[in-house]
Amino acid sequence: MLLNSNQISSYIKESEFSKRAQIGIDLSAAKIERIDVGSVVYKDKTHIDALGYVEVPTMSIDGKDCWRLEKGIYSITFNEGIHVPDDCAAKITYRSSLYRTGTIIESPWWDPGFYCDQMNTTMIVNSIIIIEKNARVAQIAFWRVEEVGETYNGQWQGLNTAYKQ
């Protein structure tokens, strides 16, 4: 069952830029890094070179603190954190304002038991886009899970970035 924003409000560490929507909570952009690295995915661990994440500086556009992003793949860190309860799973997707530009934000499933102080995921930019810092660009939704075999306890537990240093 898909949960509404009132049901999930205690699962999200909201920021002053968050906004509750009908079925989720809007997430706001805190930091954007260009991903210029591959990775190694083994059966039991993933290795990602932290030097391949290059922070994109903001610039003043129309008097606002913004990122100007070229076509490419980015890691987007949100102002918001998460603690997925043991009987739920969550997923992040883009808001319609990004969808209309051809920009895609899509996350893997956030497993029962996972937590971190700041969420992040991958953003694919297909044409030049300008995003104001702290703008709401994504939405997270939660689903109730009937039975969970075990909760998350993997290598990324509690981390605030897309890679482990």
Side-chain angles (χ1 to χ4, degrees):
M1 171 175 69
L2 186 61
L3 304 178
N4 68 45
S5 60
N6 292 329
Q7 293 171 301
I8 67 172
S9 63
S10 64
Y11 309 156
I12 299 293
K13 180 183 133 195
E14 294 182 67
S15 76
E16 64 183 293
F17 309 107
S18 307
K19 183 178 179 190
R20 294 181 188 183
Q22 292 77 12
I23 60 164
I25 295 178
D26 290 348
L27 307 177
S28 57
K31 178 170 78 170
I32 297 177
E33 298 166 290
R34 185 173 182 87
I35 300 175
D36 291 329
V37 66
S39 61
V40 179
V41 180
Y42 294 119
K43 290 186 289 187
D44 61 345
K45 194 169 197 117
T46 300
H47 295 281
I48 299 172
D49 182 358
L51 296 177
Y53 281 66
V54 180
E55 187 166 353
V56 179
T58 59
M59 61 178 67
S60 180
I61 298 175
D62 294 331
K64 299 174 188 238
D65 198 16
C66 299
W67 293 281
R68 183 183 185 280
L69 306 175
E70 302 284 335
K71 184 176 181 176
I73 300 173
Y74 297 85
S75 172
I76 183 165
T77 301
F78 302 106
N79 290 301
E80 296 77 21
I82 189 172
H83 187 193
V84 184
D86 293 349
D87 65 345
C88 288
K91 198 151 178 62
I92 296 172
T93 192
Y94 43 84
R95 294 186 67 235
S96 61
S97 52
L98 263 68
Y99 168 78
R100 290 180 182 98
T101 71
T103 300
I104 299 167
I105 293 177
E106 194 67 40
S107 75
W109 283 99
W110 296 71
D111 294 320
F114 181 84
Y115 63 87
C116 66
D117 289 333
Q118 278 187 293
M119 293 178 276
N120 73 347
T121 196
T122 302
M123 178 170 62
I124 301 167
V125 174
N126 290 302
S127 60
I128 294 172
I129 186 170
I130 295 170
I131 298 175
E132 183 179 5
K133 185 175 175 99
N134 301 316
R136 292 177 291 116
V137 294
Q139 184 179 53
I140 189 163
F142 284 75
W143 283 261
R144 183 86 58 212
V145 179
E146 291 291 323
E147 283 186 44
V148 176
E150 61 184 66
T151 58
Y152 183 83
N153 191 24
Q155 78 181 76
W156 309 107
Q157 185 73 286
L159 295 179
N160 294 339
T161 59
Y163 51 85
K164 189 170 185 174
Q165 296 182 11

